Amino acid sequence: MRLSLTEADEEFRATAREWLLANAPKDRAPPDGQASRDYALAWLARCHRDGWSGISWPTEYGGRGLSQERLLIWYEEYVRARAPSVLDCTFVALNHAGPTVFACGTEEQKAFHLPRILGGKVIWCQGFSEPGAGSDLAALSTSAVVDGDHLVVNGQKIWSSFADVADYQELLVRTLPGSKRHQGLSWVICDMKSKGITVRPIENMAGVTHFAEVFYDNVRIPLSNVVGGLHEGWKTAMTTFGFERKTAAIGLQLELSVKIEDLIALAEPLPGSATAVRLGELRAEVAGLRSMTYRALLREPANASDGSLVRLSFGELAQRVYRAAMDILGPDALLNGSWTHDYLESYSETIAGGTAEIQRNIIAERILGMPRIK
Ligand SMILES: Cc1cc2nc3c(=O)[nH]c(=O)nc-3n(C[C@H](O)[C@H](O)[C@H](O)COP(=O)(O)OP(=O)(O)OC[C@H]3O[C@@H](n4cnc5c(N)ncnc54)[C@H](O)[C@@H]3O)c2cc1C
């Protein structure tokens, strides 16, 4: 699939390219902790200062209000310039918490939070998964009881990315005592500095503390922080997943097209060799994924199940690309850039945001119309 771009779009591309060339940091971002927060916020604030954050966000909340095509052009130029990975600690706020507040929040919530997100002032994390509720999110049990004009939260979340450096959390809790499954949940904005919150970081196999357990002990959250209505949280959470599984990963998917070209350049395969064939096939698959991503983003009306197709294809393809890098580069992978790190991290791409099996279930039921497994 090709974008049909106007002359004005190409001018936009040229301006973005020039700005990124002059401004994209050359040093590598710190992987985690306070240093990663400082780095990510400084970079986002710099983008914002020059009008390069919130490309497609509405202008009244600090965005540029531009088309999805321009957003894609920005991402193309962004990855081309090898600007900092989009999967840094601003990811949740920019890609699904902010968009959810925009789609479902009150005017006050939007006016307060959205400009702070785009201006690089705050980090958000997500508190959905629990030890007993991951794929089966509706089984969640963290409770929030109404007490006057507040909710009082007790329970535990797990795998909350960037929770150790976050200011706010998109938190899904059970607000209707005794309610079951999808009923009686609420999506609330939790101030991570609230009394009663304990964050315990978890180190992943790449040696990075990307996520954390979060414990809530009588944490008081104003009722005015509920987004999308009290007890209506499942609907709001599905809006979040809509963004998380579809638009959130565009930057990551486009990053893969740069990675495969880098790998081909490093590998220098002999024409016709098994390595050349393997890399050629991967390059073709990456191009296919890119087309799927563009179609998912530009399709009108939007198709909610596109997200699962793109998410699943990306996760499995990323693993094949980084596996090939390990096989082909061998020990050189340790010397050339971040291949080893990317390889280890790629295992999480078929888990985060819903596992590959769950995406397959969604595709089977909602796209192929197959019967639901009881
Ligand atoms: C890098 C990373 C970042 C993450 N960040 C966050 C975050 O910020 N916030 C957050 O809330 N969560 C986050 N998660 C958690 C993630 O959403 C869950 O790990 C995921 O939903 C799976 O849940 P689980 O780990 O409880 O596994 P389980 O649900 O226990 O699944 C275990 C296995 O069973 C399979 N399975 C389960 N149910 C079915 C079914 N119905 N059909 C077929 N197979 C099934 C799964 O596919 C999986 O292989 C993150 C995870 C990772 C890896």
Side-chain angles (χ1 to χ4, degrees):
M1 179 177 176
R2 292 190 68 79
L3 295 173
S4 52
L5 300 179
T6 62
E7 217 169 287
D9 289 331
E10 293 301 351
E11 273 169 33
F12 174 82
R13 181 190 294 285
T15 319
R17 186 173 296 182
E18 198 179 316
W19 187 84
L20 283 160
L21 190 68
N23 291 282
K26 305 282 178 279
D27 56 332
R28 197 181 286 181
D32 53 16
Q34 183 65 33
S36 73
R37 176 188 160 101
D38 295 345
Y39 184 98
L41 288 179
W43 169 229
L44 179 56
R46 184 143 145 220
C47 289
H48 185 65
R49 187 195 63 199
D50 291 352
W52 294 107
S53 74
I55 303 288
S56 60
W57 284 35
T59 49
E60 64 265 42
Y61 303 116
R64 297 258 319 249
L66 299 177
S67 65
Q68 300 290 62
E69 282 83 353
R70 296 270 171 107
L71 179 64
L72 281 172
I73 294 172
W74 165 251
Y75 276 125
E76 284 181 351
E77 293 306 318
Y78 190 94
V79 299
R80 192 176 178 277
R82 283 145 173 90
S85 172
V86 293
L87 188 55
D88 65 11
C89 52
T90 61
F91 184 85
V92 172
L94 286 174
N95 292 292
H96 50 89
T100 303
V101 170
F102 176 68
C104 308
T106 62
E107 228 11 86
E108 290 73 30
Q109 289 165 347
K110 292 185 216 181
F112 182 83
H113 288 289
L114 299 181
R116 281 173 174 74
I117 290 174
L118 282 190
K121 305 239 181 301
V122 288
I123 299 294
W124 281 61
C125 62
Q126 183 187 60
F128 282 14
S129 305
E130 297 182 3
S135 302
D136 187 13
L137 185 60
L140 71 83
S141 63
T142 294
S143 71
V145 178
V146 178
D147 179 26
D149 56 2
H150 278 71
L151 288 166
V152 181
V153 181
N154 282 285
Q156 182 198 344
K157 296 289 173 177
I158 193 167
W159 314 125
S160 186
S161 302
F162 318 115
D164 59 332
V165 293
D167 302 282
Y168 296 101
Q169 184 180 51
E170 47 179 19
L171 174 63
L172 196 60
V173 284
R174 193 163 293 286
T175 39
L176 194 61
S179 62
K180 293 269 181 298
R181 309 290 303 161
H182 313 92
Q183 314 294 324
L185 304 174
S186 298
W187 194 110
V188 296
I189 300 169
C190 174
D191 182 339
M192 292 298 283
K193 306 285 177 315
S194 306
K195 197 163 158 261
I197 291 186
T198 306
V199 177
R200 206 155 68 191
I202 305 170
E203 191 177 302
N204 70 14
M205 69 176 174
V208 174
T209 43
H210 171 103
F211 35 38
E213 290 176 288
V214 184
F215 300 88
Y216 311 80
D217 181 12
N218 288 318
V219 175
R220 294 184 71 81
I221 300 178
L223 272 172
S224 56
N225 282 16
V226 172
V227 175
L230 191 64
H231 312 321
E232 299 292 331
W234 188 256
K235 229 166 74 191
T236 314
M238 289 307 105
T239 303
T240 307
F241 279 143
F243 292 119
E244 187 175 359
R245 290 178 182 161
K246 193 165 104 183
T247 46
I250 302 166
L252 290 177
Q253 286 146 19
L254 293 184
E255 252 171 39
L256 208 53
S257 23
V258 170
K259 292 285 183 175
I260 187 70
E261 296 311 320
D262 286 351
L263 179 56
I264 291 170
L266 272 175
E268 295 180 326
L270 290 174
S273 64
T275 301
V277 171
R278 185 174 181 188
L279 289 171
E281 283 174 359
L282 286 171
R283 181 192 256 168
E285 284 191 74
V286 169
L289 171 71
R290 192 171 167 151
S291 295
M292 253 166 87
T293 305
Y294 286 10
R295 190 183 70 151
L297 190 71
L298 301 176
R299 185 149 43 172
E300 289 290 348
N303 182 330
S305 308
D306 274 349
S308 291
L309 280 174
V310 174
R311 180 82 203 122
L312 176 65
S313 307
F314 166 68
E316 296 189 341
L317 182 53
Q319 287 171 358
R320 284 201 297 282
V321 167
Y322 294 118
R323 173 80 254 174
M326 292 297 107
D327 291 346
I328 294 167
L329 299 177
D332 285 353
L334 293 168
L335 305 173
N336 286 302
S338 57
W339 294 105
T340 318
H341 173 269
D342 291 345
Y343 167 67
L344 291 173
E345 290 276 354
S346 72
Y347 279 88
S348 69
E349 295 299 354
T350 48
I351 305 173
T355 66
E357 289 79 12
I358 294 304
Q359 308 302 350
R360 281 197 166 80
N361 286 351
I362 295 172
I363 292 164
E365 289 162 17
R366 298 191 201 152
I367 300 180
L368 302 176
M370 292 169 75
R372 198 184 165 86
I373 301 166
K374 297 275 180 247

Short mmCIF file of all heavy atoms in Angstrom, two decimals, residues 92 125-131 133-136 157-162 210-211 244 345 348-349 351-358 361, ligand 1:
data_model
loop_
_atom_site.label_atom_id
_atom_site.label_comp_id
_atom_site.label_asym_id
_atom_site.label_seq_id
_atom_site.Cartn_x
_atom_site.Cartn_y
_atom_site.Cartn_z
N VAL A 92 2.89 5.26 27.25
CA VAL A 92 1.51 5.04 27.72
C VAL A 92 0.69 6.32 27.59
O VAL A 92 -0.43 6.34 27.06
CB VAL A 92 1.51 4.51 29.18
CG1 VAL A 92 0.10 4.46 29.74
CG2 VAL A 92 2.16 3.13 29.24
N CYS A 125 1.40 5.45 33.57
CA CYS A 125 1.55 4.00 33.43
C CYS A 125 0.15 3.39 33.39
O CYS A 125 -0.85 4.10 33.54
CB CYS A 125 2.36 3.42 34.59
SG CYS A 125 1.62 3.67 36.21
N GLN A 126 0.10 2.08 33.15
CA GLN A 126 -1.19 1.40 33.05
C GLN A 126 -1.32 0.37 34.17
O GLN A 126 -0.41 -0.44 34.36
CB GLN A 126 -1.30 0.68 31.71
CG GLN A 126 -2.64 -0.01 31.47
CD GLN A 126 -2.62 -0.84 30.20
OE1 GLN A 126 -1.83 -1.76 30.06
NE2 GLN A 126 -3.49 -0.51 29.27
N GLY A 127 -2.43 0.39 34.88
CA GLY A 127 -2.68 -0.59 35.94
C GLY A 127 -3.92 -1.40 35.61
O GLY A 127 -5.00 -1.14 36.16
N PHE A 128 -3.79 -2.34 34.68
CA PHE A 128 -4.90 -3.22 34.33
C PHE A 128 -4.65 -4.63 34.89
O PHE A 128 -5.45 -5.15 35.64
CB PHE A 128 -5.06 -3.32 32.80
CG PHE A 128 -5.75 -2.14 32.14
CD1 PHE A 128 -5.94 -0.94 32.80
CD2 PHE A 128 -6.22 -2.25 30.83
CE1 PHE A 128 -6.58 0.13 32.18
CE2 PHE A 128 -6.86 -1.19 30.20
CZ PHE A 128 -7.04 0.01 30.87
N SER A 129 -3.51 -5.25 34.50
CA SER A 129 -3.25 -6.65 34.85
C SER A 129 -3.09 -6.85 36.35
O SER A 129 -2.55 -5.98 37.05
CB SER A 129 -1.97 -7.15 34.17
OG SER A 129 -2.03 -6.95 32.80
N GLU A 130 -3.54 -8.01 36.81
CA GLU A 130 -3.36 -8.41 38.21
C GLU A 130 -2.79 -9.82 38.21
O GLU A 130 -2.86 -10.52 37.18
CB GLU A 130 -4.71 -8.39 38.95
CG GLU A 130 -5.31 -7.01 39.01
CD GLU A 130 -6.64 -6.97 39.78
OE1 GLU A 130 -7.06 -8.03 40.32
OE2 GLU A 130 -7.24 -5.89 39.83
N PRO A 131 -2.28 -10.30 39.36
CA PRO A 131 -1.75 -11.67 39.38
C PRO A 131 -2.79 -12.69 38.90
O PRO A 131 -2.45 -13.68 38.27
CB PRO A 131 -1.38 -11.88 40.85
CG PRO A 131 -1.07 -10.50 41.35
CD PRO A 131 -2.02 -9.59 40.62
N ALA A 133 -5.49 -11.86 36.88
CA ALA A 133 -6.29 -11.30 35.78
C ALA A 133 -5.38 -10.64 34.77
O ALA A 133 -4.98 -9.48 34.94
CB ALA A 133 -7.30 -10.27 36.32
N GLY A 134 -5.01 -11.42 33.73
CA GLY A 134 -4.18 -10.89 32.64
C GLY A 134 -4.97 -10.98 31.36
O GLY A 134 -5.71 -10.05 31.00
N SER A 135 -4.87 -12.14 30.69
CA SER A 135 -5.70 -12.37 29.50
C SER A 135 -7.17 -12.23 29.86
O SER A 135 -7.97 -11.67 29.11
CB SER A 135 -5.46 -13.77 28.96
OG SER A 135 -4.11 -13.94 28.65
N ASP A 136 -7.52 -12.76 31.03
CA ASP A 136 -8.91 -12.67 31.50
C ASP A 136 -9.05 -11.45 32.39
O ASP A 136 -9.24 -11.55 33.61
CB ASP A 136 -9.26 -13.96 32.27
CG ASP A 136 -10.73 -14.02 32.62
OD1 ASP A 136 -11.51 -13.20 32.06
OD2 ASP A 136 -11.11 -14.85 33.45
N LYS A 157 -1.83 -4.57 41.43
CA LYS A 157 -1.64 -4.69 39.98
C LYS A 157 -0.24 -5.24 39.73
O LYS A 157 0.63 -5.19 40.61
CB LYS A 157 -1.81 -3.33 39.30
CG LYS A 157 -3.22 -2.74 39.43
CD LYS A 157 -4.22 -3.50 38.61
CE LYS A 157 -5.65 -3.06 38.86
NZ LYS A 157 -6.62 -3.76 38.00
N ILE A 158 -0.02 -5.74 38.52
CA ILE A 158 1.31 -6.28 38.17
C ILE A 158 1.63 -5.95 36.71
O ILE A 158 0.71 -5.62 35.95
CB ILE A 158 1.38 -7.80 38.45
CG1 ILE A 158 2.84 -8.29 38.41
CG2 ILE A 158 0.50 -8.57 37.48
CD1 ILE A 158 3.05 -9.70 38.96
N TRP A 159 2.89 -5.98 36.37
CA TRP A 159 3.40 -5.70 35.02
C TRP A 159 3.08 -4.27 34.59
O TRP A 159 2.89 -4.02 33.40
CB TRP A 159 2.83 -6.66 33.96
CG TRP A 159 2.84 -8.11 34.32
CD1 TRP A 159 1.77 -8.96 34.32
CD2 TRP A 159 3.97 -8.90 34.72
NE1 TRP A 159 2.15 -10.21 34.71
CE2 TRP A 159 3.50 -10.21 34.95
CE3 TRP A 159 5.32 -8.64 34.92
CZ2 TRP A 159 4.33 -11.24 35.38
CZ3 TRP A 159 6.14 -9.67 35.34
CH2 TRP A 159 5.65 -10.94 35.55
N SER A 160 3.01 -3.36 35.51
CA SER A 160 2.64 -1.98 35.16
C SER A 160 3.89 -1.27 34.63
O SER A 160 4.78 -0.87 35.40
CB SER A 160 2.08 -1.28 36.41
OG SER A 160 1.61 -0.01 36.07
N SER A 161 3.95 -1.13 33.29
CA SER A 161 5.14 -0.55 32.66
C SER A 161 5.34 0.89 33.12
O SER A 161 4.39 1.67 33.13
CB SER A 161 4.99 -0.55 31.13
OG SER A 161 4.79 -1.85 30.66
N PHE A 162 6.57 1.22 33.48
CA PHE A 162 7.00 2.57 33.87
C PHE A 162 6.38 3.06 35.18
O PHE A 162 6.47 4.25 35.50
CB PHE A 162 6.72 3.60 32.75
CG PHE A 162 7.04 3.08 31.37
CD1 PHE A 162 6.05 2.90 30.41
CD2 PHE A 162 8.34 2.74 31.04
CE1 PHE A 162 6.35 2.39 29.16
CE2 PHE A 162 8.65 2.24 29.79
CZ PHE A 162 7.64 2.06 28.84
N HIS A 210 11.56 -2.54 33.46
CA HIS A 210 10.58 -1.91 32.58
C HIS A 210 9.23 -1.80 33.28
O HIS A 210 8.49 -0.86 33.08
CB HIS A 210 10.46 -2.78 31.31
CG HIS A 210 9.35 -2.42 30.39
ND1 HIS A 210 9.55 -1.72 29.23
CD2 HIS A 210 8.02 -2.65 30.46
CE1 HIS A 210 8.38 -1.54 28.63
NE2 HIS A 210 7.45 -2.10 29.35
N PHE A 211 8.90 -2.79 34.11
CA PHE A 211 7.57 -2.79 34.73
C PHE A 211 7.66 -3.03 36.24
O PHE A 211 8.75 -3.26 36.77
CB PHE A 211 6.61 -3.77 34.08
CG PHE A 211 7.21 -5.05 33.56
CD1 PHE A 211 8.20 -5.70 34.25
CD2 PHE A 211 6.75 -5.61 32.37
CE1 PHE A 211 8.74 -6.89 33.79
CE2 PHE A 211 7.29 -6.80 31.89
CZ PHE A 211 8.28 -7.43 32.60
N GLU A 244 -4.30 1.01 22.12
CA GLU A 244 -3.07 0.28 22.45
C GLU A 244 -2.73 -0.76 21.39
O GLU A 244 -1.57 -0.97 21.05
CB GLU A 244 -3.25 -0.40 23.83
CG GLU A 244 -1.98 -1.04 24.35
CD GLU A 244 -2.13 -1.60 25.76
OE1 GLU A 244 -3.22 -1.48 26.35
OE2 GLU A 244 -1.14 -2.15 26.27
N GLU A 345 14.15 -8.38 24.30
CA GLU A 345 12.89 -7.64 24.51
C GLU A 345 11.79 -8.16 23.58
O GLU A 345 10.61 -8.07 23.89
CB GLU A 345 13.10 -6.15 24.25
CG GLU A 345 13.94 -5.43 25.30
CD GLU A 345 13.13 -4.98 26.51
OE1 GLU A 345 11.89 -5.13 26.50
OE2 GLU A 345 13.75 -4.50 27.49
N SER A 348 8.70 -10.21 24.59
CA SER A 348 7.51 -9.63 25.24
C SER A 348 6.48 -9.15 24.23
O SER A 348 5.34 -8.88 24.59
CB SER A 348 7.94 -8.46 26.14
OG SER A 348 8.38 -7.38 25.34
N GLU A 349 6.88 -9.08 22.94
CA GLU A 349 5.96 -8.51 21.94
C GLU A 349 4.75 -9.40 21.65
O GLU A 349 3.78 -8.94 21.05
CB GLU A 349 6.71 -8.21 20.63
CG GLU A 349 7.78 -7.13 20.74
CD GLU A 349 7.25 -5.78 21.17
OE1 GLU A 349 6.02 -5.61 21.28
OE2 GLU A 349 8.08 -4.88 21.40
N ILE A 351 3.23 -10.85 24.18
CA ILE A 351 2.54 -10.92 25.49
C ILE A 351 1.90 -9.57 25.81
O ILE A 351 0.70 -9.49 26.12
CB ILE A 351 3.53 -11.29 26.63
CG1 ILE A 351 4.26 -12.59 26.31
CG2 ILE A 351 2.77 -11.40 27.95
CD1 ILE A 351 5.36 -12.94 27.30
N ALA A 352 2.71 -8.50 25.71
CA ALA A 352 2.23 -7.17 26.12
C ALA A 352 1.02 -6.75 25.28
O ALA A 352 0.97 -7.01 24.08
CB ALA A 352 3.35 -6.15 25.96
N GLY A 353 0.06 -6.12 25.94
CA GLY A 353 -1.12 -5.61 25.22
C GLY A 353 -2.06 -6.72 24.78
O GLY A 353 -2.91 -6.51 23.92
N GLY A 354 -1.91 -7.92 25.36
CA GLY A 354 -2.75 -9.07 24.96
C GLY A 354 -1.87 -10.07 24.23
O GLY A 354 -1.21 -9.71 23.24
N THR A 355 -1.86 -11.33 24.68
CA THR A 355 -0.94 -12.32 24.12
C THR A 355 -1.34 -12.70 22.68
O THR A 355 -2.47 -12.43 22.24
CB THR A 355 -0.94 -13.62 24.97
OG1 THR A 355 -2.24 -14.22 24.86
CG2 THR A 355 -0.62 -13.34 26.42
N ALA A 356 -0.40 -13.38 22.00
CA ALA A 356 -0.67 -13.82 20.62
C ALA A 356 -1.91 -14.71 20.59
O ALA A 356 -2.72 -14.63 19.66
CB ALA A 356 0.54 -14.56 20.09
N GLU A 357 -2.07 -15.54 21.61
CA GLU A 357 -3.24 -16.45 21.63
C GLU A 357 -4.53 -15.65 21.73
O GLU A 357 -5.52 -15.96 21.06
CB GLU A 357 -3.14 -17.44 22.82
CG GLU A 357 -2.05 -18.50 22.68
CD GLU A 357 -0.65 -17.97 23.00
OE1 GLU A 357 -0.53 -16.84 23.55
OE2 GLU A 357 0.33 -18.67 22.70
N ILE A 358 -4.50 -14.62 22.55
CA ILE A 358 -5.71 -13.80 22.72
C ILE A 358 -6.02 -13.04 21.42
O ILE A 358 -7.17 -12.94 20.99
CB ILE A 358 -5.53 -12.83 23.92
CG1 ILE A 358 -5.45 -13.64 25.23
CG2 ILE A 358 -6.65 -11.79 23.98
CD1 ILE A 358 -6.61 -14.57 25.51
N ASN A 361 -7.62 -15.42 19.15
CA ASN A 361 -9.02 -15.64 19.52
C ASN A 361 -9.89 -14.52 18.95
O ASN A 361 -10.97 -14.77 18.40
CB ASN A 361 -9.19 -15.67 21.05
CG ASN A 361 -8.66 -16.95 21.67
OD1 ASN A 361 -8.32 -17.90 20.96
ND2 ASN A 361 -8.60 -16.98 22.99
C1 LIG B 1 6.56 -5.99 28.32
C2 LIG B 1 5.21 -6.07 28.97
C3 LIG B 1 4.61 -4.91 29.38
C4 LIG B 1 3.37 -4.95 30.00
N1 LIG B 1 2.84 -3.78 30.46
C5 LIG B 1 1.67 -3.81 31.12
C6 LIG B 1 1.15 -2.60 31.66
O1 LIG B 1 1.75 -1.52 31.52
N2 LIG B 1 0.00 -2.66 32.35
C7 LIG B 1 -0.69 -3.83 32.52
O2 LIG B 1 -1.75 -3.80 33.12
N3 LIG B 1 -0.20 -5.00 32.03
C8 LIG B 1 0.95 -5.00 31.34
N4 LIG B 1 1.47 -6.19 30.85
C9 LIG B 1 0.79 -7.43 31.15
C10 LIG B 1 0.12 -8.09 29.96
O3 LIG B 1 -1.02 -7.37 29.56
C11 LIG B 1 -0.23 -9.51 30.39
O4 LIG B 1 1.00 -10.19 30.65
C12 LIG B 1 -0.99 -10.26 29.33
O5 LIG B 1 -2.28 -9.71 29.18
C13 LIG B 1 -1.11 -11.76 29.67
O6 LIG B 1 -1.61 -11.93 30.95
P1 LIG B 1 -0.86 -12.91 32.00
O7 LIG B 1 0.58 -12.53 32.03
O8 LIG B 1 -1.62 -12.87 33.27
O9 LIG B 1 -0.93 -14.35 31.35
P2 LIG B 1 -2.17 -15.34 31.41
O10 LIG B 1 -3.41 -14.60 31.09
O11 LIG B 1 -2.12 -16.09 32.69
O12 LIG B 1 -1.85 -16.32 30.21
C14 LIG B 1 -0.92 -17.41 30.33
C15 LIG B 1 -0.92 -18.14 29.00
O13 LIG B 1 -2.21 -18.69 28.73
C16 LIG B 1 -2.69 -18.25 27.47
N5 LIG B 1 -4.14 -18.02 27.54
C17 LIG B 1 -4.83 -17.40 28.51
N6 LIG B 1 -6.13 -17.33 28.21
C18 LIG B 1 -6.28 -17.91 27.00
C19 LIG B 1 -7.39 -18.15 26.15
N7 LIG B 1 -8.61 -17.77 26.47
N8 LIG B 1 -7.18 -18.78 24.97
C20 LIG B 1 -5.92 -19.18 24.59
N9 LIG B 1 -4.82 -19.00 25.38
C21 LIG B 1 -5.00 -18.36 26.56
C22 LIG B 1 -1.97 -16.94 27.21
O14 LIG B 1 -1.91 -16.63 25.84
C23 LIG B 1 -0.60 -17.21 27.81
O15 LIG B 1 0.20 -17.90 26.89
C24 LIG B 1 2.71 -6.19 30.21
C25 LIG B 1 3.31 -7.36 29.77
C26 LIG B 1 4.55 -7.31 29.17
C27 LIG B 1 5.18 -8.59 28.71
#
